[in-house]
């Protein structure tokens, strides 16, 4: 299932969710329907958390662990 502009918002969301590891079409549709019915504040908070993770986390230049800076705390610790 590929995400395209000709799909309904529900179909587009389900298609995008299938790109997550371990999420098939049925699970993606189930998650999409859950989000449709979910509290608006929860959906906004979830969307913000996804954006924050993508925008703020990166791989440590030394050990490739996740961190918010160029080098993680463990690698900075002498």
């Amino acid at each position: 299932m590929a995400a395209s502009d000709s799909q309904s918002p529900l179909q587009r969301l389900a298609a995008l969710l299938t790109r997550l590891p371990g999420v098939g079409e049925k699970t993606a549709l189930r998650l999409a329907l859950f989000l449709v019915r979910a509290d608006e504040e929860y959906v906004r908070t979830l969307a913000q958390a996804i954006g924050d993770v993508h925008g703020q986390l990166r791989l440590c230049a030394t050990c490739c662990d996740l961190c918010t800076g160029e080098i993680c705390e463990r690698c900075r610790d002498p």
Side-chain angles (χ1 to χ4, degrees):
M1 191 185 295
S4 76
D5 293 336
S6 64
Q7 296 174 318
S8 74
L10 181 65
Q11 290 171 324
R12 182 170 177 261
L13 177 58
L16 290 168
L17 290 170
T18 63
R19 295 176 62 182
L20 295 172
V23 177
E25 288 186 23
K26 286 182 183 180
T27 299
L29 184 56
R30 202 172 293 125
L31 290 169
L33 288 170
F34 168 81
L35 291 171
V36 167
R37 295 180 184 120
D39 177 77
E40 188 173 336
E41 181 62 28
Y42 171 76
V43 175
R44 288 183 198 277
T45 303
L46 177 63
Q48 182 65 49
I50 291 169
D52 289 349
V53 163
H54 190 265
Q56 296 176 15
L57 289 182
R58 56 193 46 78
L59 295 178
C60 172
T62 304
C63 70
C64 294
D65 197 5
L66 289 174
C67 61
T68 55
E70 187 175 328
I71 299 176
C72 73
E73 290 182 31
R74 192 177 5 206
C75 291
R76 283 192 307 242
D77 187 2

